[in-house]
Amino acid sequence: MRIVLVGPPGAGKGTQAAFLARNLAIPHIATGDLFRANMSQGTDLGRKAKEYMSAGQLVPDEITIGMAKDRMAQPDAANGFLLDGFPRNIAQAQALDAYLDETGRQLDAVLDLEVPEDEVVRRIAGRRICRNDSSHVFHVEYKAPATEGVCDVCGGELYQREDDREETVRKRLEVYHSETEPIIDHYKAQGLVTTISALGAVEEVTERAMNALKRD
């Protein structure tokens, strides 16, 4: 299967993508992983991306599209893939359509993870990270530490990242609504979109997504 996973920040796309890809035995292709892999391997696209990022500039669509096309051309993606974070806008969606047409393939489904905006803010703004080890993640509501501000694992100080502050989250949501959300209508016109509630336990959301894919 060839699937695009879309949804606002805080919808749990990365978590769901990993579960779905494993259940479907297809590679999980995440934009962040593409950038890290290309930069660490020193590819032409990776070097170009690094130049823009080092200058504090946005990486142009053509570089992101090039990385995604290279990854989708790998042998392990021959029978399908799950795209997470790509396409991010209409230009990228059109480029993906063109690439699939050129290679004689097509998307099977677009899963739209839906979550209320206030819940997105609650999920992200409530995160607290350990200064000693960023893999120690807590949440003021959903996974509160035994002692406020103290990591249960190592006793380090817990803090809120700048990216997790409410005002930053709301700005990220504005960007999502203006740039990424339009691709949902783009794919609805192709009859590919199924909207999935991203509320509830991770396993419940995964089950909804798998059931939707079976119907498709």
Side-chain angles (χ1 to χ4, degrees):
M1 294 193 81
R2 298 177 186 90
I3 304 164
V4 167
L5 196 62
V6 65
K13 290 190 299 299
T15 300
Q16 290 304 322
F19 275 101
L20 291 170
R22 186 162 61 249
N23 285 336
L24 297 167
I26 54 177
H28 168 204
I29 301 176
T31 305
D33 293 340
L34 289 178
F35 275 76
R36 283 187 286 274
N38 276 271
M39 288 191 287
S40 67
Q41 293 166 17
T43 67
D44 287 342
L45 290 170
R47 286 194 294 272
K48 290 176 183 175
K50 194 169 186 178
E51 288 174 8
Y52 282 99
M53 294 169 72
S54 297
Q57 299 174 347
L58 292 175
V59 177
D61 281 342
E62 58 264 27
I63 293 176
T64 305
I65 291 165
M67 290 181 182
K69 287 166 66 173
D70 285 350
R71 182 65 185 86
M72 288 184 285
Q74 296 301 311
D76 68 336
N79 294 320
F81 47 73
L82 191 152
L83 295 173
D84 167 18
F86 178 88
R88 193 176 293 274
N89 55 43
I90 288 293
Q92 292 182 7
Q94 292 170 337
L96 175 59
D97 290 348
Y99 170 75
L100 293 173
D101 283 343
E102 290 166 9
T103 56
R105 296 183 282 180
Q106 61 183 19
L107 286 177
D108 294 294
V110 174
L111 296 180
D112 169 28
L113 294 183
E114 186 176 66
V115 58
E117 193 160 302
D118 285 346
E119 176 62 17
V120 168
V121 174
R122 188 177 299 114
R123 287 181 180 185
I124 299 177
R127 286 179 191 155
R128 297 295 183 270
I129 315 296
C130 178
R131 289 196 186 276
N132 293 343
D133 188 332
S134 61
S135 70
H136 301 164
V137 182
F138 295 83
H139 193 281
V140 295
E141 292 184 49
Y142 308 130
K143 190 186 175 184
T147 302
E148 184 177 351
V150 180
C151 176
D152 287 353
V153 181
C154 68
E157 178 193 0
L158 298 179
Y159 76 105
Q160 183 184 47
R161 298 183 308 181
E162 287 294 329
D163 281 354
D164 292 345
R165 295 187 183 281
E166 180 174 344
E167 57 270 26
T168 306
V169 176
R170 293 198 181 277
K171 287 178 183 175
R172 289 169 62 193
L173 283 167
E174 288 176 9
V175 172
Y176 172 78
H177 292 316
S178 63
E179 294 188 10
T180 304
E181 210 167 46
I183 73 171
I184 297 173
D185 287 335
H186 173 82
Y187 286 122
K188 277 183 178 177
Q190 300 176 34
L192 292 170
V193 177
T194 300
T195 299
I196 306 291
S197 170
L199 295 177
V202 170
E203 297 80 7
E204 293 173 346
V205 180
T206 304
E207 184 177 1
R208 289 176 203 139
M210 290 298 294
N211 288 338
L213 293 172
K214 289 173 186 174
R215 290 197 300 270
D216 291 339

